[in-house]
Amino acid sequence: MLSVGLPITKMATFDDNLSNQTHSSAYYCKFNEDFKYILLPVSYALVFVIGLALNTTALYVIVFRTKRWKPSTIYMFNLTMCDTLYIFTLPFLVYYYADQNDWPFSEPFCKVIRFLFYANLYGSILFLCCISLHRFIGICYPVHSLYWVSARRAKLVSVAVWAFVLLCQAPVLYFSRIRDRDTERICYDTTSPELFDDFLVYSSVVSVLMFALPFMVVMVCYGLMVRKLLEPSWGSQGGDEGERGGLAAQRSKQKSVKMIIIVLAMFMLCFLPFHLTRSLYYSFRYLRQANPAQLSCNLLEASSIAYKVTRPLASANSCVDPILYFLAGQDVRSNLTKRIKASSSKYPNASQCSTSQL
């Protein structure tokens, strides 16, 4: 059996203590993962406390303090709902990892918990993509956005996003399993060992469709938005009123550029490391299974540690979303109002439309 310098403590084989009953000694890797029994409960508990406070506040403001729902409000409401559903699952994961991978609940509940994690993850990514596209249209095509963007379309898009997320994440309910091992009951983060090859194909497809492509869209949108906002003519008007409005537009423009940078940084901090380390870990695990001599246990262990360290980062998006997008929404609405007023003289019909659509 291959092993890495181990104290007499709980060990992990690949992911969440995979059973070695069906694997040869040449394939089986054993390494120490005691760090996750501290890292994951503490980080998930922090996300639960902070995220619950921020998201319930956001929901209260949106539901009870917002008189007219704009498209951005609809997207933010769905994003907040997505985060809130996930946050309510965290106490169970805190208990599970604090008790060192001993699942006290049923298998269906294990499936629901894992399903909600991935539904939140990819639901958040897709709604962030929707918000980015919405802002891109509003900033780069302010007049046309009055006709392209509406609350009704935002609702239809939101329903489509939820349907797509639920459809794509439904296989998680099949792959997630529990297994009794010694005196413990494991709730697999991925799936049981015999289904891992199928899960790898499914996970790869989902990562491309629901992370890689939306991430490219967000990068392109924000890149074009920054270029547009940095144009000297953006938000400029004539006359004394235009001078005052131009100064305000410049200040608002700078805030919007900073916000875009922050959003991109947080997007890459929460989602990109998780997907990179997870893909690396899954690939190494597959290679180790296919050809044990091709990959050492030390490399597999390093990838497993990196993957588990980035899991709390993916959960942290539930805390960041309410802060970033309420703040960004205010700046963008201010920018769009100035921009559309500046264009009203050129497009008389646009002055009759309300910027509340944005």
Side-chain angles (χ1 to χ4, degrees):
M1 177 182 298
L2 298 175
S3 62
V4 183
L6 303 171
I8 301 176
T9 182
K10 287 194 174 184
M11 305 300 169
T13 60
F14 295 139
D15 182 50
D16 285 340
N17 297 314
L18 300 183
S19 172
N20 65 330
Q21 296 176 355
T22 60
H23 302 287
S24 67
S25 60
Y27 164 63
Y28 177 69
C29 279
K30 192 175 186 180
F31 42 79
N32 184 10
E33 285 192 332
D34 280 357
F35 74 94
K36 78 177 184 180
Y37 302 131
I38 298 176
L39 172 66
L40 296 182
V42 171
S43 58
Y44 287 160
L46 289 175
V47 171
F48 173 75
V49 173
I50 299 172
L52 183 63
L54 292 176
N55 283 280
T56 52
T57 301
L59 283 176
Y60 173 78
V61 172
I62 293 174
V63 175
F64 296 104
R65 296 297 180 184
T66 304
K67 296 181 179 179
R68 186 172 184 179
W69 284 31
K70 306 164 188 176
S72 59
T73 309
I74 294 171
Y75 292 134
M76 283 191 284
F77 170 76
N78 284 277
L79 182 61
T80 305
M81 283 297 300
C82 195
D83 291 337
T84 304
L85 289 174
Y86 169 68
I87 286 171
F88 282 124
T89 69
L90 290 179
F92 304 100
L93 291 177
V94 170
Y95 180 87
Y96 173 60
Y97 289 114
D99 200 28
Q100 302 192 5
N101 281 16
D102 190 7
W103 184 253
F105 310 106
S106 65
E107 184 172 68
F109 196 61
C110 169
K111 293 176 179 290
V112 170
I113 294 296
R114 299 305 187 187
F115 170 81
L116 287 177
F117 171 80
Y118 289 107
N120 161 260
L121 179 69
Y122 293 112
S124 296
I125 290 173
L126 292 180
F127 279 116
L128 293 179
C129 184
C130 290
I131 293 172
S132 300
L133 283 170
H134 171 74
R135 291 176 177 170
F136 165 73
I137 294 173
I139 289 178
C140 296
Y141 304 96
V143 177
H144 294 85
S145 67
L146 297 174
Y147 306 98
W148 293 349
V149 178
S150 67
R152 180 177 177 275
R153 289 191 178 93
K155 292 177 182 178
L156 293 176
V157 170
S158 298
V159 171
V161 168
W162 278 110
F164 185 61
V165 169
L166 295 177
L167 178 64
C168 290
Q169 296 310 309
V172 173
L173 297 173
Y174 167 74
F175 284 116
S176 296
R177 306 288 175 92
I178 64 172
R179 175 168 294 177
D180 293 326
R181 190 181 67 87
D182 298 330
T183 60
E184 302 168 340
R185 172 170 289 181
I186 307 302
C187 174
Y188 288 117
D189 174 54
T190 53
T191 189
S192 55
E194 59 272 12
L195 295 176
F196 178 74
D197 290 352
D198 294 333
F199 179 82
L200 178 60
V201 174
Y202 160 73
S203 178
S204 300
V205 173
V206 168
S207 295
V208 172
L209 291 179
M210 305 186 77
F211 169 70
L213 292 180
F215 183 61
M216 291 175 59
V217 171
V218 169
M219 292 290 290
V220 171
C221 287
Y222 280 165
L224 295 175
M225 287 163 60
V226 169
R227 187 178 68 175
K228 188 68 174 181
L229 291 170
L230 291 178
E231 291 180 358
S233 60
W234 195 91
S236 60
Q237 303 180 44
D240 295 337
E241 181 180 353
E243 184 177 354
R244 290 192 299 270
L247 293 175
Q250 288 297 322
R251 289 193 297 268
S252 183
K253 178 167 61 176
Q254 292 174 1
K255 292 181 180 179
S256 296
V257 172
K258 292 178 181 179
M259 181 57 58
I260 289 171
I261 295 173
I262 294 173
V263 169
L264 283 176
M266 292 306 302
F267 195 98
M268 290 186 288
L269 178 65
C270 292
F271 301 125
L272 186 59
F274 172 81
H275 282 86
L276 288 179
T277 57
R278 186 181 67 167
S279 298
L280 189 64
Y281 168 60
Y282 286 177
S283 299
F284 285 171
R285 181 174 159 185
Y286 176 78
L287 291 175
R288 178 69 192 179
Q289 179 177 344
N291 187 358
Q294 189 175 359
L295 191 74
S296 69
C297 284
N298 289 336
L299 192 57
L300 181 62
E301 180 181 16
S303 65
S304 175
I305 292 174
Y307 164 56
K308 289 177 173 61
V309 167
T310 58
R311 278 163 61 177
L313 296 178
S315 299
N317 80 90
S318 300
C319 300
V320 177
D321 290 337
I323 299 175
L324 287 178
Y325 282 93
F326 271 119
L327 181 58
Q330 293 173 359
D331 291 338
V332 170
R333 284 193 297 270
S334 177
N335 277 339
L336 294 180
T337 300
K338 292 180 176 63
R339 179 61 175 168
I340 292 174
K341 285 182 178 179
S343 304
S344 61
S345 58
K346 185 176 180 180
Y347 298 90
N349 293 334
S351 62
Q352 299 175 4
C353 300
S354 173
T355 61
S356 63
Q357 288 184 347
L358 305 171

